[in-house]
Amino acid sequence: MSATEAHKDVVRSYYEKLWNQEAFDLISEIIAEDLTFKGLTDLSRLRVKVGSGRTGFKAYVQTMHSFLSNYHIEVEDMVAEGDKVFCRTVVCGIHRGQFMGFAPTLKRIEWRGCALFTFGEDGLIHDIWALNDDSDLEEKLKTNKSLMHT
């Protein structure tokens, strides 16, 4: 298996096992200790400090799961070249905790996002740069409209 295919397998595990199955112990197997992490949902808006590196990332993942139960990420597209893997995703869950300044709605919410993963020579993820359509999600939360993507 090529390194690029191996990187894609790691990213599949990142979504399927770590995020969807809450296999938090996987973090030490696929994430570098000195991980740099940018994006996903704006951490400052979550009003939670999670730190940096592998430990901070684990706290971030657990925090997101505390806001949203039945958390699930579906990968719609995955492209890899060299040490990089790019994914386009759909994220959903049940809004059960204070999230982005909004009280729980107990509704299923969904948004789209994407992420760029960079791997080191050790085969671990060293950098994640993720972006989400937070403005669409925030508008749905503000207006209490259907929280599913349309």
PDB file of all heavy atoms in Angstrom, residues 16-36:
ATOM      1  N   GLU A  16     -14.451   7.687  11.218  1.00  0.00           N
ATOM      2  CA  GLU A  16     -15.315   6.566  11.606  1.00  0.00           C
ATOM      3  C   GLU A  16     -15.135   6.140  13.053  1.00  0.00           C
ATOM      4  O   GLU A  16     -16.121   5.919  13.760  1.00  0.00           O
ATOM      5  CB  GLU A  16     -15.087   5.361  10.682  1.00  0.00           C
ATOM      6  CG  GLU A  16     -15.714   5.526   9.320  1.00  0.00           C
ATOM      7  CD  GLU A  16     -17.218   5.723   9.383  1.00  0.00           C
ATOM      8  OE1 GLU A  16     -17.903   5.039  10.158  1.00  0.00           O
ATOM      9  OE2 GLU A  16     -17.713   6.602   8.647  1.00  0.00           O
ATOM     10  N   LYS A  17     -13.906   6.010  13.484  1.00  0.00           N
ATOM     11  CA  LYS A  17     -13.665   5.493  14.837  1.00  0.00           C
ATOM     12  C   LYS A  17     -13.605   6.609  15.884  1.00  0.00           C
ATOM     13  O   LYS A  17     -14.293   6.536  16.900  1.00  0.00           O
ATOM     14  CB  LYS A  17     -12.386   4.663  14.860  1.00  0.00           C
ATOM     15  CG  LYS A  17     -12.502   3.398  14.022  1.00  0.00           C
ATOM     16  CD  LYS A  17     -11.224   2.611  14.036  1.00  0.00           C
ATOM     17  CE  LYS A  17     -11.370   1.363  13.162  1.00  0.00           C
ATOM     18  NZ  LYS A  17     -10.095   0.666  13.013  1.00  0.00           N
ATOM     19  N   LEU A  18     -12.768   7.616  15.627  1.00  0.00           N
ATOM     20  CA  LEU A  18     -12.590   8.663  16.630  1.00  0.00           C
ATOM     21  C   LEU A  18     -13.856   9.490  16.808  1.00  0.00           C
ATOM     22  O   LEU A  18     -14.385   9.597  17.906  1.00  0.00           O
ATOM     23  CB  LEU A  18     -11.412   9.565  16.237  1.00  0.00           C
ATOM     24  CG  LEU A  18     -11.213  10.818  17.083  1.00  0.00           C
ATOM     25  CD1 LEU A  18     -10.985  10.467  18.540  1.00  0.00           C
ATOM     26  CD2 LEU A  18     -10.050  11.620  16.529  1.00  0.00           C
ATOM     27  N   TRP A  19     -14.352  10.062  15.731  1.00  0.00           N
ATOM     28  CA  TRP A  19     -15.524  10.938  15.838  1.00  0.00           C
ATOM     29  C   TRP A  19     -16.831  10.166  15.956  1.00  0.00           C
ATOM     30  O   TRP A  19     -17.628  10.428  16.845  1.00  0.00           O
ATOM     31  CB  TRP A  19     -15.582  11.898  14.651  1.00  0.00           C
ATOM     32  CG  TRP A  19     -14.603  13.021  14.786  1.00  0.00           C
ATOM     33  CD1 TRP A  19     -13.358  13.116  14.214  1.00  0.00           C
ATOM     34  CD2 TRP A  19     -14.755  14.205  15.572  1.00  0.00           C
ATOM     35  NE1 TRP A  19     -12.748  14.274  14.593  1.00  0.00           N
ATOM     36  CE2 TRP A  19     -13.579  14.974  15.423  1.00  0.00           C
ATOM     37  CE3 TRP A  19     -15.771  14.690  16.381  1.00  0.00           C
ATOM     38  CZ2 TRP A  19     -13.411  16.205  16.054  1.00  0.00           C
ATOM     39  CZ3 TRP A  19     -15.607  15.921  17.012  1.00  0.00           C
ATOM     40  CH2 TRP A  19     -14.436  16.657  16.845  1.00  0.00           C
ATOM     41  N   ASN A  20     -17.081   9.215  15.077  1.00  0.00           N
ATOM     42  CA  ASN A  20     -18.389   8.559  15.045  1.00  0.00           C
ATOM     43  C   ASN A  20     -18.576   7.508  16.136  1.00  0.00           C
ATOM     44  O   ASN A  20     -19.688   7.304  16.603  1.00  0.00           O
ATOM     45  CB  ASN A  20     -18.633   7.932  13.671  1.00  0.00           C
ATOM     46  CG  ASN A  20     -18.717   8.978  12.576  1.00  0.00           C
ATOM     47  OD1 ASN A  20     -18.820  10.171  12.832  1.00  0.00           O
ATOM     48  ND2 ASN A  20     -18.656   8.536  11.334  1.00  0.00           N
ATOM     49  N   GLN A  21     -17.503   6.842  16.527  1.00  0.00           N
ATOM     50  CA  GLN A  21     -17.618   5.789  17.541  1.00  0.00           C
ATOM     51  C   GLN A  21     -17.025   6.203  18.893  1.00  0.00           C
ATOM     52  O   GLN A  21     -17.000   5.390  19.821  1.00  0.00           O
ATOM     53  CB  GLN A  21     -16.937   4.510  17.041  1.00  0.00           C
ATOM     54  CG  GLN A  21     -17.579   3.951  15.787  1.00  0.00           C
ATOM     55  CD  GLN A  21     -16.774   2.803  15.191  1.00  0.00           C
ATOM     56  OE1 GLN A  21     -15.957   2.167  15.860  1.00  0.00           O
ATOM     57  NE2 GLN A  21     -17.003   2.535  13.920  1.00  0.00           N
ATOM     58  N   GLU A  22     -16.546   7.427  18.985  1.00  0.00           N
ATOM     59  CA  GLU A  22     -15.972   7.967  20.225  1.00  0.00           C
ATOM     60  C   GLU A  22     -14.820   7.107  20.753  1.00  0.00           C
ATOM     61  O   GLU A  22     -14.651   6.957  21.961  1.00  0.00           O
ATOM     62  CB  GLU A  22     -17.045   8.151  21.293  1.00  0.00           C
ATOM     63  CG  GLU A  22     -18.134   9.116  20.879  1.00  0.00           C
ATOM     64  CD  GLU A  22     -19.164   9.352  21.967  1.00  0.00           C
ATOM     65  OE1 GLU A  22     -18.761   9.656  23.109  1.00  0.00           O
ATOM     66  OE2 GLU A  22     -20.367   9.226  21.652  1.00  0.00           O
ATOM     67  N   ALA A  23     -14.003   6.601  19.854  1.00  0.00           N
ATOM     68  CA  ALA A  23     -12.828   5.805  20.233  1.00  0.00           C
ATOM     69  C   ALA A  23     -11.666   6.765  20.504  1.00  0.00           C
ATOM     70  O   ALA A  23     -10.723   6.875  19.722  1.00  0.00           O
ATOM     71  CB  ALA A  23     -12.486   4.808  19.131  1.00  0.00           C
ATOM     72  N   PHE A  24     -11.737   7.481  21.638  1.00  0.00           N
ATOM     73  CA  PHE A  24     -10.774   8.527  21.953  1.00  0.00           C
ATOM     74  C   PHE A  24      -9.349   8.005  22.111  1.00  0.00           C
ATOM     75  O   PHE A  24      -8.388   8.749  21.914  1.00  0.00           O
ATOM     76  CB  PHE A  24     -11.204   9.292  23.204  1.00  0.00           C
ATOM     77  CG  PHE A  24     -12.572   9.907  23.081  1.00  0.00           C
ATOM     78  CD1 PHE A  24     -13.525   9.702  24.054  1.00  0.00           C
ATOM     79  CD2 PHE A  24     -12.911  10.691  21.990  1.00  0.00           C
ATOM     80  CE1 PHE A  24     -14.792  10.276  23.953  1.00  0.00           C
ATOM     81  CE2 PHE A  24     -14.169  11.270  21.868  1.00  0.00           C
ATOM     82  CZ  PHE A  24     -15.109  11.057  22.855  1.00  0.00           C
ATOM     83  N   ASP A  25      -9.194   6.729  22.453  1.00  0.00           N
ATOM     84  CA  ASP A  25      -7.854   6.157  22.581  1.00  0.00           C
ATOM     85  C   ASP A  25      -7.117   6.113  21.247  1.00  0.00           C
ATOM     86  O   ASP A  25      -5.892   6.031  21.208  1.00  0.00           O
ATOM     87  CB  ASP A  25      -7.926   4.761  23.212  1.00  0.00           C
ATOM     88  CG  ASP A  25      -8.802   3.797  22.430  1.00  0.00           C
ATOM     89  OD1 ASP A  25      -9.813   4.238  21.847  1.00  0.00           O
ATOM     90  OD2 ASP A  25      -8.483   2.595  22.418  1.00  0.00           O
ATOM     91  N   LEU A  26      -7.843   6.211  20.147  1.00  0.00           N
ATOM     92  CA  LEU A  26      -7.229   6.220  18.818  1.00  0.00           C
ATOM     93  C   LEU A  26      -6.352   7.457  18.615  1.00  0.00           C
ATOM     94  O   LEU A  26      -5.415   7.429  17.818  1.00  0.00           O
ATOM     95  CB  LEU A  26      -8.320   6.160  17.736  1.00  0.00           C
ATOM     96  CG  LEU A  26      -7.858   6.090  16.292  1.00  0.00           C
ATOM     97  CD1 LEU A  26      -7.133   4.775  16.025  1.00  0.00           C
ATOM     98  CD2 LEU A  26      -9.052   6.226  15.356  1.00  0.00           C
ATOM     99  N   ILE A  27      -6.628   8.521  19.345  1.00  0.00           N
ATOM    100  CA  ILE A  27      -5.880   9.772  19.188  1.00  0.00           C
ATOM    101  C   ILE A  27      -4.383   9.532  19.321  1.00  0.00           C
ATOM    102  O   ILE A  27      -3.595  10.022  18.503  1.00  0.00           O
ATOM    103  CB  ILE A  27      -6.375  10.837  20.185  1.00  0.00           C
ATOM    104  CG1 ILE A  27      -7.778  11.302  19.763  1.00  0.00           C
ATOM    105  CG2 ILE A  27      -5.412  12.021  20.265  1.00  0.00           C
ATOM    106  CD1 ILE A  27      -8.465  12.223  20.746  1.00  0.00           C
ATOM    107  N   SER A  28      -3.969   8.762  20.316  1.00  0.00           N
ATOM    108  CA  SER A  28      -2.534   8.525  20.518  1.00  0.00           C
ATOM    109  C   SER A  28      -1.919   7.681  19.399  1.00  0.00           C
ATOM    110  O   SER A  28      -0.707   7.695  19.217  1.00  0.00           O
ATOM    111  CB  SER A  28      -2.284   7.870  21.870  1.00  0.00           C
ATOM    112  OG  SER A  28      -2.906   6.609  21.925  1.00  0.00           O
ATOM    113  N   GLU A  29      -2.745   6.990  18.640  1.00  0.00           N
ATOM    114  CA  GLU A  29      -2.248   6.147  17.555  1.00  0.00           C
ATOM    115  C   GLU A  29      -2.132   6.874  16.219  1.00  0.00           C
ATOM    116  O   GLU A  29      -1.335   6.479  15.370  1.00  0.00           O
ATOM    117  CB  GLU A  29      -3.165   4.939  17.370  1.00  0.00           C
ATOM    118  CG  GLU A  29      -3.232   4.021  18.565  1.00  0.00           C
ATOM    119  CD  GLU A  29      -4.253   2.905  18.376  1.00  0.00           C
ATOM    120  OE1 GLU A  29      -4.480   2.488  17.224  1.00  0.00           O
ATOM    121  OE2 GLU A  29      -4.822   2.471  19.389  1.00  0.00           O
ATOM    122  N   ILE A  30      -2.933   7.938  16.022  1.00  0.00           N
ATOM    123  CA  ILE A  30      -2.945   8.583  14.705  1.00  0.00           C
ATOM    124  C   ILE A  30      -2.589  10.071  14.729  1.00  0.00           C
ATOM    125  O   ILE A  30      -2.321  10.644  13.680  1.00  0.00           O
ATOM    126  CB  ILE A  30      -4.310   8.403  14.007  1.00  0.00           C
ATOM    127  CG1 ILE A  30      -5.422   9.132  14.754  1.00  0.00           C
ATOM    128  CG2 ILE A  30      -4.632   6.920  13.806  1.00  0.00           C
ATOM    129  CD1 ILE A  30      -6.751   9.183  13.997  1.00  0.00           C
ATOM    130  N   ILE A  31      -2.559  10.685  15.910  1.00  0.00           N
ATOM    131  CA  ILE A  31      -2.309  12.122  16.030  1.00  0.00           C
ATOM    132  C   ILE A  31      -0.936  12.353  16.668  1.00  0.00           C
ATOM    133  O   ILE A  31      -0.633  11.775  17.716  1.00  0.00           O
ATOM    134  CB  ILE A  31      -3.394  12.798  16.913  1.00  0.00           C
ATOM    135  CG1 ILE A  31      -4.799  12.578  16.336  1.00  0.00           C
ATOM    136  CG2 ILE A  31      -3.089  14.279  17.120  1.00  0.00           C
ATOM    137  CD1 ILE A  31      -5.124  13.331  15.086  1.00  0.00           C
ATOM    138  N   ALA A  32      -0.128  13.217  16.051  1.00  0.00           N
ATOM    139  CA  ALA A  32       1.185  13.556  16.600  1.00  0.00           C
ATOM    140  C   ALA A  32       1.026  14.343  17.900  1.00  0.00           C
ATOM    141  O   ALA A  32       0.069  15.101  18.069  1.00  0.00           O
ATOM    142  CB  ALA A  32       1.983  14.368  15.586  1.00  0.00           C
ATOM    143  N   GLU A  33       1.969  14.164  18.806  1.00  0.00           N
ATOM    144  CA  GLU A  33       1.946  14.865  20.091  1.00  0.00           C
ATOM    145  C   GLU A  33       1.895  16.378  19.908  1.00  0.00           C
ATOM    146  O   GLU A  33       1.234  17.088  20.653  1.00  0.00           O
ATOM    147  CB  GLU A  33       3.181  14.469  20.922  1.00  0.00           C
ATOM    148  CG  GLU A  33       3.222  15.086  22.299  1.00  0.00           C
ATOM    149  CD  GLU A  33       2.114  14.584  23.217  1.00  0.00           C
ATOM    150  OE1 GLU A  33       1.861  13.375  23.259  1.00  0.00           O
ATOM    151  OE2 GLU A  33       1.511  15.434  23.885  1.00  0.00           O
ATOM    152  N   ASP A  34       2.589  16.877  18.887  1.00  0.00           N
ATOM    153  CA  ASP A  34       2.674  18.323  18.653  1.00  0.00           C
ATOM    154  C   ASP A  34       1.688  18.805  17.581  1.00  0.00           C
ATOM    155  O   ASP A  34       1.943  19.789  16.886  1.00  0.00           O
ATOM    156  CB  ASP A  34       4.099  18.712  18.269  1.00  0.00           C
ATOM    157  CG  ASP A  34       4.545  18.071  16.950  1.00  0.00           C
ATOM    158  OD1 ASP A  34       3.862  17.139  16.457  1.00  0.00           O
ATOM    159  OD2 ASP A  34       5.579  18.498  16.411  1.00  0.00           O
ATOM    160  N   LEU A  35       0.571  18.132  17.464  1.00  0.00           N
ATOM    161  CA  LEU A  35      -0.444  18.491  16.467  1.00  0.00           C
ATOM    162  C   LEU A  35      -0.722  19.990  16.468  1.00  0.00           C
ATOM    163  O   LEU A  35      -0.873  20.610  17.520  1.00  0.00           O
ATOM    164  CB  LEU A  35      -1.755  17.752  16.768  1.00  0.00           C
ATOM    165  CG  LEU A  35      -2.958  18.164  15.906  1.00  0.00           C
ATOM    166  CD1 LEU A  35      -2.824  17.582  14.507  1.00  0.00           C
ATOM    167  CD2 LEU A  35      -4.254  17.732  16.547  1.00  0.00           C
ATOM    168  N   THR A  36      -0.804  20.565  15.267  1.00  0.00           N
ATOM    169  CA  THR A  36      -1.342  21.911  15.117  1.00  0.00           C
ATOM    170  C   THR A  36      -2.728  21.754  14.528  1.00  0.00           C
ATOM    171  O   THR A  36      -2.946  20.955  13.619  1.00  0.00           O
ATOM    172  CB  THR A  36      -0.467  22.812  14.224  1.00  0.00           C
ATOM    173  OG1 THR A  36      -0.274  22.178  12.961  1.00  0.00           O
ATOM    174  CG2 THR A  36       0.870  23.084  14.871  1.00  0.00           C
TER     175      THR A  36
END
